[in-house]
Structures are given as C-alpha cells and as structure tokens.
C-alpha cells in the first residue's frame, strides 16, 4: 500500500527561483532562508519518496476567471511550465503519476469533494519553485512523480480553512487506500504573510505567522477560527495562501513529529517559512 | 466569505471578490493573454489597438497608459493578472509595491528589511 | 427576499430543439411529449419567475477534459450558445444575473461546496433545449434571467446522488438568503434512462424511471441507494443525468406539491420525462 | 465510484473513467476541436494531416477512417466528443446507436418505439 511519509510547508515566491538560478544561496540576503531547507534536503535524501503531492495555487497561468476551480487536481502524464508572461526561466516538464491521480480523484469525489479534473495542466511558480527548492538537481526532479493539487486563492470566495483541512484529511485517506507500494510526500506551498496589492502592499505579520507555525503540528484547527476575510486583514490578501499548508497538515496523521522549522522576513515582499513534519509510524 | 461579509473594508486593501471581478473581467482577460509571447509583442507594437481588441473601458485604458496599479486595482484588476502587464513595463512586485504604497523602491525594501528585524 | 417558487425536471435531447425549430409539436411522434409541457407552460405564465437556475450538464462544448469541473456555476452577464459541432441552430444569448450568481457562489463555497466559477461560459443543448421548451417565445427568454449550474456526467467520477441532493439543499439556502425581491424557478435537466454508447445503445428502463418520478416529490433519498456505476447499469450511462433532477428537488422545501408529470418513450434514443413541483408556501 | 468499483463491467457498456480517459485524451481533444467550424473544414480538407497534428494513435486513426464508433470507444473515445466527429460524417445519435448495436437504423428505431409500448 502507499504510505504518506510526511509533509513540508514552504513559501514559493518567484524570487526564490531566480536566486537558485543565479546560485545566490550564500548571499547575505538569502543565506538564512536557504539554511532553513537543509533539514528538508537531508530528510528527502534519506527517505527518497516516490511521489510528491504538491498543494499550491496558480497565479494566473493555467486558470483564468472563465473557469476558476476551487480545487483542481492534475491527472496528466506530464506537466509543463512556462514563463508566466514576465518571470522565471521555465523548468523542464514534471513527470506525473496519472494512475495515482485518478485514484485520489475517484476517492475524493466519492468523499463529496467537488474536484476539477485536469488531464492537461501548466504549472506555475507556485508549483515549480517548491520543486526546485526541495530537489535542486534536475536529475532528482526527473525521478520523482508529481500530483498537482491547485487551490483557488485568486478569486474570492476562497475555500474556507475548515474545508482545506478536510480536503487534506480526505487526501490522506485516498493515499492510504492506494494499492501500489509507494512512499508519498505532500507539500503545502504559499504564504506566509504578505500583501502584493493596495496601499498596504508590503504588509507582513511575524507574530501571527509564528503562532501559525507553532500550532500547525498539534493544533491545526487553531486557524479555523478565522474567516478568509479576517485572514486577509491579518496576514495580507496573499498571505491567505497559508491555507495550502493546512491541506498538507490535514493529510498527515493526527500525530506528527516536527523535524524542523524556519522563518525569515523578507524574501521579496513576503515572510517566508518552511516546516518539515514527519508522519508517526 | 459571503458577499455581505466582503463589504467590510480592510484598510489599504481591495478584496478581489465577485463585484471587482465583474468590473475587471475584460481587463484581466487582456492581462491573462500576456502569458503568450506573441500577445506581448502585439501589445508592444500597438498598445491602443490591443486594448481596443479586449474592449477595456476608457478609465482602464488611461490607467494602463499611466501604469497606475492602484487605479487598475480599483477598476477591477486582479494583482496576479496585472503582474503580467506591469512585467512588460519592467516593473516587478517590489516596484509596484513601492508605487502602490507611495514610497521609493529603496524605502519599500527598507520597510521589509525592518520587518525582518523585529 | 428571493423566493424559490418551484422546480421543473425535464429532458434536454437535441432532437427536441429540432422539433421546436421545425414546428413539429403536433406531429404524432412528438404530440404526447409536448402535451406533457402544457401544465408547466401555464404555471410559468401564471407565476412569471424573474430568474431561472438551470441545472444541466455540458456535453463537450464549454468544458474539455483539461479542466473538467464537478460543479460549475456561471457568473456572466450573458451566456452564448453555438452549433456544438454538429447540431442545433444556435439560439440568441441568454441574459445572466451575475449578482445573484455571485451570492449563490459565495454561499455555496462557504457551505463547503468546491465550485468552479465561470465568468464566461458557452451553454449547450443541455441548457438551451430546456430554455426553449419552457419559454418557446424568444421575447420570454429575453426577459428571464438565467444562472447555469453545470454538473459533470462526462468524465467519471461523477458527483454522487447524495452530493447532488446536498448541493440542491445548499442552493435552496443560498436563494432564500438573497436580499432582492425575486421569484426564482429551478430546472433540473437531462435523462431519463438512455444509453448512447456501446453495444447496448438504445437501452431505456421504464420501470425504474417511473419509480424515480414517483419518489421524487416525497422521498428523493430513494435514489441515494444506488452508486453512479449501478445507475449506469440500470438506466444507461447517460441516464445518470437524472442526478440533475435531484439537485432541483433538493433546492425545494421538504414539502412540495407535484402539479404535473409526464413520461414518454422514445424521443430519439431516450426516455423523456417532465415533472412540475411547486414549493409549498 | 472508486477505481476499484469501476472495474466491474456493465454488459455492452464502456464506462468513461480515468483509465479510458488516459487512452483517449488526444482523440477526444481532436474531436473537441470540431466545435469550431474552421477546424471541421481543416479536417475535411486533409483528414490525415489533421489526425497527425493531434498525435492520435494508428489504431485510433484507422477507427476514425472506418467511422467505427465501438472501436473508437474502446480506444478511449468519449461519446460526447465522438458525436462531433461522427456528425461531420452525417451520422446522428440514432445512426451510431444502430451501428454500435449491430442493427439497421430502422430496426434501432423500432426497438425504441417498442420500448415505448410496454
Ligand atoms: Fe503565491
Ligand atoms: Fe444530455
């Protein structure tokens, strides 16, 4: 049977991709950020998962307002990347695991999640930056199979934090019921606090982010007390991306071991975080 | 969040809800088209003709001309689609962050660095 | 406040559009089918709803397998129709009610339905045929505002009957909480039993359809005992479209009055049904 | 229905699930393109070149050539997208119903009328 071995929460700002591209990991601006990933790199190297489920949000590459899904899951043999109109140098295609994708989709729809199924899908920096961060070598990225889970935080209404946590739990059940012997890791990417638009652009909130990271392992329900509108006020409209981390957390067991955590302001306009959670056996 | 709840304002912030989306659909559609390089080239060759094709309003047209992000947001633009427009003008997220908050780029960066030191 | 005044279940086969186009309502093949709509025409003429929520399924016009939503809701100012590659003469655009659409979408997403929001949407015969059937005059169709609710029955997994009934209930709550004074009718279209593909093409099931119609008013949960795969076996893979009628039913009050019902085999390859349910005051 | 449950066969019926969808993606994409008149014209002008462009398999290509709906379904075609292909050949749902169930059009229609008389 397939096993969810753990989860990683991570930021996904495009600037990170540029920094990797330009080998700036030891630059003073970047050093303390990249240092936070060392435990994740070691853990991934040791545990060598076969599949990564990547929970992220599209920023206007694959989805437009004509068809904006709340939850979309990829079921493609591979996923292409592109320049998004302004930014990163595209990465080579990512290899999918369509059989596991379909198993998860079947399971979720039966579990009353109203999934948008995507048999062709371009993945943007919300997906590629974490992949690049977790597996900096192309050879490693070619080995691991991916399943994109895309969550709407572009067009309000966004899914509630409660719904996200439940989706995570349902993904956990789906993976556990897959017959093939596979080790699966789940990544939740985006956030933490940041605001790109409006006069308040540049807003961050260290205190709230810190509490969020503190509660994530043992009390993820803590975030559910806030509506998405309240969250937008507290952590900025784009900081709401942290609900992606809840999906990751929800997929794991009730008991997890927090193996590492890092927090750093600023990366570009954001507060950047990373957390590594291992599923208890 | 319900449409009612959306009405509660967050200072310095425009929530991109259904109301904003209705105002900005054509504008955002134009910006979304800039994912394709051929469309970016067409825009650069004849900005007016390109805006015409997408039937954006005169007010939106004027704000595009002025590269005025706050105005575009108020007219229904969504930051993620707008980023593809401002990217063509050589403005990144920090540039437009400074523009919107009314400070210089250096001041904007300094504010973020300061937040890291608390 | 907005009021859901009642619901109509109806078939939506393209052949019906052709028959209306060619004025064949009194033709022996068509007469007993169209006669079944007289009570609905009278009721609509008397009650004059302001808005029609149309629950239907797309048959490959607006949605492809690259982005196939389970539940999609239109929020456009108008909806275009087209020839679908083979068939009907397109009807003029339908007028939307984007404010009510957004209210319903906001309400449903908060209610943990994972809606795909569509600010531009082509509607196919699953939508236009019932519109044409209910309001045969263009002038009437120009007056009524529409909200398309599109349900996936193209790509398995389809939403379960249970999920559909719950979606209907949530739509009912959403309409009831809209502040404007509007009379709203909900249509559930598709079915009844039919099979377009495979050696068993032409399959219908009068007995099951009849029981379905019999139970719909007072015991809609009756259908929930069947999985969609079981339903595909019983009523044909396209007969599963009857889950659209459950959404319609779910939106109405617990108590409804069945004002009329008709059932007729065959229209093209299908068993055709129509039912008119009025919300008790 | 779970992927396991899908495996239970329904006689004379192919459930269009993930497994079928994987086989038929390119074929269905080609058929979906026929929503546009220009694409239908391009297909009619040069069927082979059009099929080539969508990279459908040889087996699918042969079934398209033979207008063989059952074969196309087995190769991953979905009936709703296929209808746009067969429509171009002048075949409606009753024509392909007869073809699939292996009877003449008249027999197919008679069977449906008979179902109405029970
Ligand atoms: Fe992001
Ligand atoms: Fe249909």
């Amino acid at each position: 049977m397939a096993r969810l071995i753990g989860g990683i929460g991570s930021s996904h700002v495009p600037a990170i991709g540029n920094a990797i591209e330009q080998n700036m990991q030891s630059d003073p601006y970047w050093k303390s950020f990249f240092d936070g990933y060392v435990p994740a790199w070691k853990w991934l190297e040791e545990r060598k998962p076969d599949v990564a489920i990547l929970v992220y949000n599209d920023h206007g590459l694959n989805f437009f307002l004509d068809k904006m899904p709340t939850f979309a899951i990829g079921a493609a043999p591979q996923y292409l990347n592109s320049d998004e109109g302004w930014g990163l140098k595209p990465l080579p295609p990512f290899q999918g695991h369509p059989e596991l994708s379909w198993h998860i989709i079947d399971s979720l729809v039966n579990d009353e999640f109203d999934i948008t199924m995507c048999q062709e899908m371009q993945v943007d920096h919300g997906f590629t930056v974490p992949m690049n961060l977790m597996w900096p070598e192309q050879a490693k990225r070619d080995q691991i199979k991916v399943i994109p889970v895309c969550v709407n935080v572009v067009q309000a209404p966004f899914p509630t934090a409660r719904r996200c946590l439940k989706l995570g739990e349902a993904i956990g059940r789906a993976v556990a019921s897959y017959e093939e012997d596979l080790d699966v890791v789940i990544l939740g990417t985006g956030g933490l606090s940041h605001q790109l638009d409006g006069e308040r652009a540049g807003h961050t909130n260290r205190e709230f982010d810190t509490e969020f990271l503190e509660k994530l392992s043992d009390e993820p329900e803590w975030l559910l007390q806030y509506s998405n509108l309240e969250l937008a006020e507290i952590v900025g409209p784009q900081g709401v991306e942290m609900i992606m981390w809840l999906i990751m957390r929800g997929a794991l067991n009730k008991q997890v071991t927090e193996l590492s955590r890092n927090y750093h302001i600023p990366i570009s306009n954001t507060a950047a975080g990373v957390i590594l959670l291992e599923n208890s056996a | 969040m319900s449409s009612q709840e959306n009405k509660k304002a967050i200072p310095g912030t425009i929530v991109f809800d259904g109301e904003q989306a209705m105002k900005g659909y054509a504008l955002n559609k134009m910006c979304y088209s800039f994912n394709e390089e051929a469309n970016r080239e067409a825009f650069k060759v004849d900005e007016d003709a390109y805006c015409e094709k997408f039937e954006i309003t005169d007010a939106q047209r004027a704000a595009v001309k002025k590269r005025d992000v706050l105005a575009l947001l108020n007219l229904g633009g969504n930051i993620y689609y707008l980023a593809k427009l401002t990217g063509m003008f050589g403005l990144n997220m920090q540039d437009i962050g400074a523009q919107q908050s009314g400070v210089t780029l250096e001041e904007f960066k300094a504010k973020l660095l300061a937040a890291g030191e608390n």
Side-chain angles (χ1 to χ4, degrees), chain A residues 228-245:
Chain A
N228 283 328
L229 189 63
E230 287 167 335
L231 272 186
E233 176 149 23
I234 297 167
V235 292
Q238 287 75 40
V240 181
E241 290 181 341
M242 62 173 55
I243 58 176
M244 250 58 79
W245 296 42

Side-chain angles (χ1 to χ4, degrees), chain A residues 240-256:
Chain A
V240 181
E241 290 181 341
M242 62 173 55
I243 58 176
M244 250 58 79
W245 296 42
L246 270 194
I247 298 174
M248 175 275 285
R249 175 64 191 91
L252 303 179
N253 297 347
K254 279 263 173 281
Q255 302 288 335
V256 294

Side-chain angles (χ1 to χ4, degrees), chain A residues 185-206:
Chain A
V185 65
I186 183 164
L187 275 61
T189 87
L192 298 176
S193 62
H194 66 296
Q195 175 152 3
L196 301 175
D197 49 353
E199 290 90 341
R200 209 182 59 162
H203 172 72
T204 55
N205 189 332
R206 172 188 293 271

Side-chain angles (χ1 to χ4, degrees), chain A residues 40-113:
Chain A
W41 291 332
K42 285 195 179 146
W43 185 81
L44 288 169
E45 186 52 40
E46 201 181 293
R47 302 296 304 266
K48 292 194 176 37
D50 305 293
V51 179
I53 297 173
L54 218 146
V55 185
Y56 74 108
N57 56 294
D58 181 80
H59 306 72
L61 176 65
N62 195 62
F63 296 106
F64 182 59
L65 303 172
D66 61 334
K67 292 172 187 161
M68 182 58 73
T70 296
F71 297 136
I73 299 189
Q78 61 171 17
Y79 302 94
L80 304 184
N81 179 215
S82 91
D83 72 8
E84 302 187 34
W86 48 267
L88 297 171
K89 191 176 139 197
L91 291 176
F94 297 85
Q95 305 312 310
H97 194 308
E99 293 80 9
L100 180 54
S101 284
W102 280 114
H103 173 83
I104 293 173
I105 290 169
D106 281 337
S107 179
L108 290 177
V109 172
N110 263 295
D111 236 353
E112 305 195 357
F113 289 85

